[in-house]
Amino acid sequence: GRLEAVTQQMGYHPQYLDSFLKMQHYLMHMDGPLPFDCRHYIAIMAAARHQCRYLVNLHVLQFLRAGGDPQWLRGLDFIPPKLRNLNEINKILAHRPWLITKEHIEKLLKISEWSWSLAELVHAVVLLAHCHALASFVFGCGCEQDEGPGGRGVLKPLSPGNQCFCEATTGNGCSQELLRINRKRSLDSCMELDSLRERMQRIHMETEGREETRLLQQDREEGERHEWRAEHRAAPSAGLSPLADADGAVTSAANLACYMQDPDFGYQDFARRDEDQTQVFRVQDYSWEDHGFSLVNRLYSDIGHLLDEKFRMVDGLQSSTMAKRQGCEPSVFKRGIWNYIHCMFGIRYDDYDYAEVNQLLERVLKVYIKTVTCYPEKTNSEMFDRFWKQFKHSEKVHVNLLILEARMQAELLYALQAITQYMV
């Protein structure tokens, strides 16, 4: 399965993986304000902002499995206005979250036929932040490996050597039972994929059949009708489903542009010298622990606890070797990475000396962290290889987990603060 690459990498830190999977399962598959097909479509929109085919493909299949309308997969022009209206905050949160305001929230919540409820919006915001941050992890660990036309195909997948996934997560040898379960999951995934391919092929054939009927009615002469049929058989239809090629095989969103508007909108440095200084977000005024946690938990029951557990879990991961290599305590090194990521999004801690960042993080590491955090789709093989030289594999994954969680919390802080301002 496609998800295996992500779980395999996170498996180097099994306690974190358990926390991550619990939160993601609750977010995507348990009771909540949003319908299941909408959840996966929002995930598609979020992943598309970073051109993350890995996640788009995954959620396209899960969207169909949840009973989603295949027509929605043609792009934003084919989805309900309520979902399409989410595009603006998706774009802002993905690239410049400091620009989100209570006016953006008010626009979505205003009374109309397509308005969102507060609970629905909080669910959507958590989904967007989760998928944006997960895209960073996917690119950072080399899980994005699209070999198709136009695909980057630069990063090689990082495998845990000779260990299989359950060995990496438990530190013990695999039992035959675990191997059997893993193989069965792989077979089940293949069977589901085959079923979805058949479904898409059937939808494609039905669509072509209706189109052919309409055109045949317009062709009054028998010769013209036969000519059109011959041409139609010889060349792929221009109206193919975005999930099927000429042979009916699933290609899963070859053109991600259909899932986003304003594709040129991207990250800009928070403190641009040629612009007025944007208001700095001070954690002392609005923090996850004192404000964000209670708000999100009140509007979307229990998700706050699961998010909080995940934030705490990544903070508690052991990194003594990694920190010793940098000549500092583990907590100091991790806080330097976390605060550097938040600083790039305009979030500042009054009790932190930011001069420490330059002392703790060498330039190559800072470039890597900034790229994976702010524009992960630009991660290239050279940057990838240079970064890996000084760390063990588990340490590399640890850095990417810090990026994932720090980025997700940053986006949530801005969105939840704007919701709080609207409610006040």
Side-chain angles (χ1 to χ4, degrees):
R2 295 282 285 181
L3 187 59
E4 192 66 10
V6 167
T7 55
Q8 193 174 45
Q9 298 307 317
M10 290 184 180
Y12 281 94
H13 302 280
Q15 290 181 311
Y16 173 85
L17 175 62
D18 181 63
S19 178
F20 173 87
L21 292 177
K22 280 196 298 185
M23 193 287 298
Q24 180 167 265
H25 180 73
Y26 187 86
L27 185 66
M28 304 304 304
H29 303 293
M30 299 297 285
D31 289 343
L34 292 175
F36 296 111
D37 58 340
C38 289
R39 301 182 198 191
H40 292 295
Y41 199 88
I42 291 170
I44 292 169
M45 293 171 62
R49 286 306 315 182
H50 286 305
Q51 303 167 40
C52 186
R53 295 176 186 276
Y54 177 101
L55 291 178
V56 170
N57 291 348
L58 173 70
H59 287 288
V60 160
L61 294 176
Q62 293 195 7
F63 170 79
L64 291 171
R65 187 185 305 164
D69 183 352
Q71 289 298 313
W72 290 16
L73 299 176
R74 297 174 64 185
L76 298 184
D77 293 337
F78 298 88
I79 64 176
K82 180 176 178 176
L83 263 183
R84 190 162 57 248
N85 291 342
L86 200 64
N87 178 68
E88 185 68 13
I89 66 167
N90 176 34
K91 176 182 75 174
I92 293 173
L93 282 177
H95 305 294
R96 306 175 206 171
W98 57 87
L99 296 181
I100 195 167
T101 65
K102 66 178 182 179
E103 284 73 30
H104 291 109
I105 304 301
E106 183 178 15
K107 186 177 179 181
L108 290 168
L109 298 176
K110 67 180 180 181
I111 298 175
S112 72
E113 184 181 357
W114 306 109
S115 63
W116 290 72
S117 70
L118 268 173
E120 288 174 332
L121 186 56
V122 166
H123 192 169
V125 161
V126 175
L127 265 169
L128 292 172
H130 170 71
C131 291
H132 295 153
L134 188 54
S136 284
F137 183 86
V138 166
F139 280 102
C141 282
C143 302
E144 174 76 8
Q145 42 182 314
D146 192 320
E147 302 295 343
R152 213 162 34 88
V154 172
L155 300 183
K156 296 179 180 179
L158 297 176
S159 65
N162 295 323
Q163 290 183 313
C164 74
F165 171 57
C166 43
E167 282 180 315
T169 55
T170 62
N172 302 319
C174 290
S175 68
Q176 291 300 313
E177 179 64 16
L178 284 173
L179 283 171
R180 186 188 65 78
I181 291 171
N182 283 345
R183 287 172 185 146
K184 184 178 184 302
R185 286 175 180 166
S186 296
L187 288 172
D188 290 344
S189 296
C190 291
M191 291 171 66
E192 285 184 358
L193 183 58
D194 288 341
S195 174
L196 286 168
R197 282 176 175 159
E198 291 173 5
R199 180 181 171 191
M200 288 309 304
Q201 187 172 11
R202 187 166 58 252
I203 291 168
H204 167 55
M205 291 173 66
E206 290 172 357
T207 303
E208 280 196 328
R210 289 194 296 269
E211 181 69 6
E212 184 174 348
T213 300
R214 184 182 68 81
L215 290 172
L216 286 175
Q217 289 173 349
Q218 295 176 355
D219 293 335
R220 297 183 179 181
E221 298 182 9
E222 189 67 18
E224 290 180 352
R225 186 159 62 241
H226 286 300
E227 181 182 353
W228 180 85
R229 281 176 172 169
E231 292 175 353
H232 191 63
R233 291 192 194 99
S237 168
L240 282 175
S241 161
L243 290 182
D245 59 20
D247 299 321
V250 176
T251 56
S252 282
N255 180 13
L256 301 189
C258 69
Y259 296 122
M260 58 180 170
Q261 297 170 354
D262 195 5
D264 294 331
F265 186 91
Y267 175 82
Q268 287 184 351
D269 286 343
F270 177 78
R272 292 286 295 273
R273 294 182 180 180
D274 55 342
E275 297 177 2
D276 293 335
Q277 175 64 48
T278 308
Q279 181 65 42
V280 171
F281 187 112
R282 299 197 176 280
V283 176
Q284 282 68 21
D285 299 329
Y286 195 95
S287 68
W288 166 255
E289 293 80 5
D290 297 332
H291 306 91
F293 168 81
S294 58
L295 175 63
V296 76
N297 221 42
R298 176 157 52 93
L299 293 171
Y300 181 14
S301 178
D302 291 333
I303 195 66
H305 291 292
L306 293 169
L307 289 169
D308 194 60
E309 178 186 332
K310 197 157 60 80
F311 292 145
R312 293 178 185 276
M313 190 63 67
V314 79
D315 184 56
L317 292 179
Q318 297 300 315
S319 59
S320 55
T321 306
M322 184 166 61
K324 188 181 297 182
R325 197 173 287 123
Q326 300 301 115
C328 64
E329 291 297 317
S331 59
V332 174
F333 184 63
K334 285 188 292 187
R335 190 181 185 192
I337 293 176
W338 187 279
N339 288 3
Y340 175 56
I341 293 166
H342 276 197
C343 182
M344 288 186 287
F345 288 119
I347 298 174
R348 306 281 287 191
Y349 295 78
D350 287 346
D351 61 349
Y352 186 72
D353 179 6
Y354 284 87
E356 284 189 12
V357 171
N358 289 330
Q359 297 171 7
L360 294 171
L361 310 180
E362 60 186 60
R363 185 177 180 278
V364 171
L365 179 57
K366 286 175 66 178
V367 169
Y368 177 83
I369 291 173
K370 183 171 183 177
T371 304
V372 175
T373 302
C374 302
Y375 20 80
E377 64 278 7
K378 294 183 179 180
T379 307
N380 59 51
S381 57
E382 181 185 0
M383 193 180 304
F384 193 71
D385 294 336
R386 288 172 66 194
F387 165 67
W388 294 137
K389 288 180 180 177
Q390 68 189 100
F391 296 116
K392 294 180 181 178
H393 192 86
S394 61
E395 294 170 342
K396 305 165 193 176
V397 175
H398 189 175
V399 170
N400 279 287
L401 291 178
L402 286 168
I403 293 172
L404 186 162
E405 295 301 339
R407 177 180 178 178
M408 183 173 183
Q409 189 179 101
E411 290 189 27
L412 284 177
L413 283 174
Y414 277 109
L416 295 175
Q417 183 192 52
I419 292 173
T420 300
Q421 292 171 343
Y422 167 81
M423 293 171 66
V424 171

